């Protein structure tokens, strides 16, 4: 009897011990899975994953790593831990699903060097919120309000057409369109910011636009990426010195224009973005508020940010669209056919877009495959977030790779093929695609999206109403090179095309 009691007691305690262990184990594993950080390649001490990423093509090498580690993974750039997001689902889930948590920007060393906390792109907190709110509302008045910007862009289209005619000597002579396209696009920003347009031959304007382009190229260069990873390398980096020199020269140029505008400021007659800012600054000062966000540093950085963000991106997209048309003449034929049928010879207006579905699809596909969007504009987690079961700790830099969204095989059939039909339904009507996210999404979504879409539509249609683009004599369509030049934005490799006048 005693022996039996003893046996039941030991089996019961054994069972209790086993259950206890199982519960403990379950609790431990569920706790640790909630705290599991995204996987990634094993880092080396100090160097991190230096040998697994290609700083010349960071976005491509990160997209490649996602094939092994999934769409949310960790890499160490030196000592810095970065969470990378690739593909539509992960990027959308983070930037839209956790919009507030991922609204902050990581302030990388090169940015700290020239604009600590000011402006729009590389600022956080209340100053960023105020500059963003002000920019969106002022761009509505001067930039994305269809009536005003349509008139400005159409005027600029005529200058660009004239320039194409001059460069081709009205005889289809091949030329490189990249400079004049950049000048045209920069003039749109300049007229919004300063109420000024510049002659394409003005040497000061030419060097300002060129410096802007160089800034973007250098910011995306391998040496500056390496500097952001190992800031102590600064004294030996030639590109760092060059970049700072160029940035300071452009700031000085902008300050001169701002000073001229301030001298002739009339709050009753607001001419441009800078006037609107200075008027707001004056109003706040008059009402006794001295420490507002409306100060010269914020004005200068916001203006230069908008020039940098709005010139190369839109200019390179337009260049890609022109190159794709020369490379795929059967698609260009359809563009011409739609323009002849719907518009004829009258000027194109913004409201024509809804009646030009094929052209709208071509522009979207050019933007998707041209894939110019910045790849290295990092966000940062402002608090601990659990994304798809992975913990991303407060303060961790988060890098959404838009390049991988626009080429996501789960969203786009044959993503490397130029195929405008993916934006059309079976009746030829334009369809929006969720994974078309070149302007990002969430709290940091591009503030110039509306303006960029207007520019692309009006420049593209005006040029194709007047010209047929072809490869130079002796070059076949197949030989036109689609390899991009990688900077902070993707530009087509320098090339020449012929613009054959249709009139
Ligand atoms: C085809 C043209 C363009 C493309 C593809 C593009 C794309 C982008 C992308 C991907 C971002 C980063 C968003 C993020 O961090 O999540 C961005 C930000 C930004 N873009 Fe654009 N952009 C274009 C044109 C423009 C234009 C014309 C302007 C100026 C009017 C502009 C002004 C800005 C600014 C100021 C930001 C920073 C916003 C912030 O940090 O709050 N962009 N853009």
């Amino acid at each position: 009897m005693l022996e039996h009691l003893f046996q039941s007691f030991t089996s019961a305690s054994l069972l209790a011990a086993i259950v206890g262990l199982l519960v403990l184990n379950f609790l431990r594993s569920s706790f640790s899975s909630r705290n599991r950080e995204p996987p990634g390649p094993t880092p080396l001490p100090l160097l991190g994953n230096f040998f697994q990423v290609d700083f010349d093509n960071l976005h491509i090498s990160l997209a490649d790593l996602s094939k092994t580690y999934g769409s949310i993974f960790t890499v160490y750039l030196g000592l810095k831990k970065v969470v990378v997001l690739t593909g539509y689902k992960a990027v959308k889930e983070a930037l839209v699903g956790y919009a507030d948590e991922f609204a902050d920007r990581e302030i990388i060393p090169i940015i700290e060097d020239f604009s600590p906390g000011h402006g729009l792109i590389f600022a956080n907190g209340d100053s960023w919120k105020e500059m963003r709110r002000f920019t969106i509302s002022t761009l509505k008045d001067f930039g994305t309000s269809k009536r005003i910007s349509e008139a400005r862009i159409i005027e600029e289209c005529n200058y660009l057409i004239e320039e194409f005619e001059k460069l081709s000597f009205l005889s289809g002579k091949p030329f490189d369109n990249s400079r004049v396209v950049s000048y045209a696009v920069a003039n749109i920003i300049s007229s919004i910011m300063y109420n000024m347009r510049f002659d394409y031959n003005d040497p000061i304007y030419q060097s300002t636009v060129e410096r802007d382009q160089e800034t973007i190229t250098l910011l995306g260069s391998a040496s500056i990426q390496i500097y952001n990873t190992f800031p102590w390398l600064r004294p030996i980096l030639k590109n760092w010195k060059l970049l700072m020199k160029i940035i300071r020269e452009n700031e000085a140029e902008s300050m001169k224009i701002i000073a001229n505008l301030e001298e002739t400021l009339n709050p009753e007659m607001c001419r441009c973005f800078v006037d609107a800012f200075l008027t707001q600054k004056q109003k706040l000062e008059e009402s006794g508020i001295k420490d507002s966000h409306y100060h010269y540093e914020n004005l200068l950085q916001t203006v230069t940010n908008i020039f940098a963000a709005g010139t190369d991106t839109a200019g390179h997209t337009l260049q890609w669209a022109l190159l794709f048309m020369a490379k795929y003449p059967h698609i260009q034929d359809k563009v011409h056919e739609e323009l002849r049928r719907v518009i004829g010879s009258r000027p194109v207006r913004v409201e024509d877009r809804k009646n030009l579905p094929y052209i709208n699809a071509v522009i979207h596909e050019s933007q998707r495959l041209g894939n110019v969007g910045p790849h290295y504009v990092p966000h940062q987690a402002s608090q601990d977030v659990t994304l798809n079961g992975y913990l991303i700790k407060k303060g961790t830099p988060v890098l959404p790779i838009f390049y991988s969204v626009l080429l996501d095989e789960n969203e786009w059939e044959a993503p490397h093929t130029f195929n405008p039909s993916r934006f059309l339904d079976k009746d030829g009507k334009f369809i929006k695609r969720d994974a078309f996210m070149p302007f990002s999404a969430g709290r940091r979504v591009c503030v110039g999206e509306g303006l960029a879409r207007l520019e692309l539509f009006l420049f593209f249609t005006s040029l194709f109403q007047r010209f047929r683009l072809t490869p130079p004599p002796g070059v076949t369509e197949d030989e036109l090179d689609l390899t991009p030049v990688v900077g902070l934005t993707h530009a087509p490799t320098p090339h020449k095309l012929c613009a054959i006048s249709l009139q």
Side-chain angles (χ1 to χ4, degrees), residues 155-223:
E155 187 198 356
E156 200 59 48
C157 286
N158 292 330
Y159 285 111
L160 184 60
I161 288 171
E162 230 174 72
E163 216 54 40
F164 267 47
E165 283 172 346
K166 272 193 230 154
L167 289 165
S168 65
F169 288 90
L170 288 174
S171 63
K173 188 171 176 281
F175 65 95
D176 180 345
N177 60 50
S178 60
R179 284 160 67 95
V180 285
V181 165
S182 300
Y183 296 155
V185 171
N187 256 339
I188 303 298
I189 304 280
S190 172
S191 67
I192 295 168
M193 293 287 125
Y194 304 142
N195 190 32
M196 286 167 86
R197 84 162 291 279
F198 295 87
D199 190 278
Y200 296 172
N201 295 316
D202 176 342
I204 298 180
Y205 182 57
Q206 289 183 344
S207 42
T208 307
V209 175
E210 272 145 35
R211 279 196 301 263
D212 252 335
Q213 291 178 333
E214 216 174 337
T215 305
I216 297 288
T217 308
L218 285 170
L219 277 173
S221 69
S223 57

Side-chain angles (χ1 to χ4, degrees), residues 339 342-352 355-356 465:
L339 278 170
V342 181
I343 308 292
S345 57
R346 70 165 172 86
V348 184
R349 320 295 313 203
V350 178
E351 64 262 23
D352 292 320
N355 300 320
L356 297 168
Q465 256 190 328

Side-chain angles (χ1 to χ4, degrees), residues 234-500:
R234 184 163 103 182
I236 56 163
L237 285 179
K238 260 205 295 198
N239 271 355
W240 181 86
K241 284 193 199 119
L242 179 62
L243 181 57
M244 295 311 285
K245 179 175 161 281
I246 294 173
I247 288 173
R248 296 297 177 223
E249 281 170 5
N250 262 9
E251 285 178 357
E253 214 45 68
S254 301
M255 272 320 285
K256 265 195 235 157
I257 298 177
I258 290 173
N260 282 338
L261 285 166
E262 192 166 23
E263 262 175 35
T264 53
L265 183 69
N266 172 1
E268 303 303 314
M269 249 195 44
C270 195
R271 298 160 294 187
C272 57
F273 186 98
V274 170
D275 275 8
F277 190 102
L278 290 170
T279 304
Q280 178 69 3
K281 177 174 173 294
Q282 228 175 47
K283 260 193 217 155
L284 291 168
E285 282 167 3
E286 279 163 14
S287 58
I289 303 171
K290 291 264 179 304
D291 56 350
S292 80
H293 297 298
Y294 291 82
H295 47 73
Y296 290 113
E297 262 305 308
N298 256 343
L299 172 57
L300 180 63
Q301 292 304 331
T302 303
V303 167
T304 48
N305 282 179
I306 289 176
F307 264 99
T311 306
D312 259 20
T313 45
H316 289 160
T317 307
L318 188 57
Q319 283 170 41
W320 278 114
L322 304 183
L323 179 59
F324 287 134
M325 290 305 94
K327 189 162 181 77
Y328 304 114
H330 60 290
I331 295 180
Q332 193 181 164
D333 287 345
K334 291 189 191 168
V335 165
H336 282 134
E337 187 282 321
E338 191 172 63
L339 278 170
R340 269 196 307 271
R341 180 167 41 81
V342 181
I343 308 292
S345 57
R346 70 165 172 86
V348 184
R349 320 295 313 203
V350 178
E351 64 262 23
D352 292 320
R353 184 157 47 189
K354 57 182 180 309
N355 300 320
L356 297 168
Y358 190 75
I359 287 175
N360 203 7
V362 166
I363 294 173
H364 277 70
E365 183 64 348
S366 301
Q367 216 178 338
R368 187 192 69 79
L369 199 59
N371 211 333
V372 303
H375 311 289
Y376 315 117
V377 201
H379 291 232
Q380 179 166 291
S382 57
Q383 59 188 74
D384 284 4
V385 185
T386 303
L387 185 68
N388 277 4
Y390 294 121
L391 173 71
I392 301 177
K393 287 191 183 153
K394 177 179 173 174
T396 308
V398 173
L399 205 49
I401 309 290
F402 300 111
Y403 160 87
S404 69
V405 178
L406 295 177
L407 292 174
D408 187 337
E409 283 174 2
N410 298 315
E411 303 292 329
W412 309 101
E413 206 186 304
H416 293 275
T417 306
F418 187 83
N419 173 17
S421 303
R422 60 176 97 243
F423 288 99
L424 296 170
D425 69 9
K426 61 177 179 13
D427 301 320
K429 292 209 176 79
F430 180 79
I431 40 170
K432 284 190 177 160
R433 301 283 306 264
D434 289 343
F436 181 76
M437 209 195 261
F439 298 101
S440 181
R443 297 277 180 270
R444 287 275 174 175
V445 67
C446 174
V447 297
E449 173 172 354
L451 177 65
R453 284 162 42 75
L454 274 186
E455 289 181 67
L456 291 175
F457 176 71
L458 290 173
F459 278 122
F460 183 90
T461 46
S462 310
L463 287 172
F464 283 100
Q465 256 190 328
R466 288 295 277 265
F467 301 105
R468 175 164 196 89
L469 295 190
T470 65
V475 178
T476 65
E477 280 96 18
D478 282 348
E479 283 166 349
L480 287 179
D481 185 7
L482 296 183
T483 316
V485 177
V486 180
L488 201 60
T489 58
H490 267 178
T493 298
H495 61 276
K496 288 184 176 177
L497 298 177
C498 300
I500 319 279

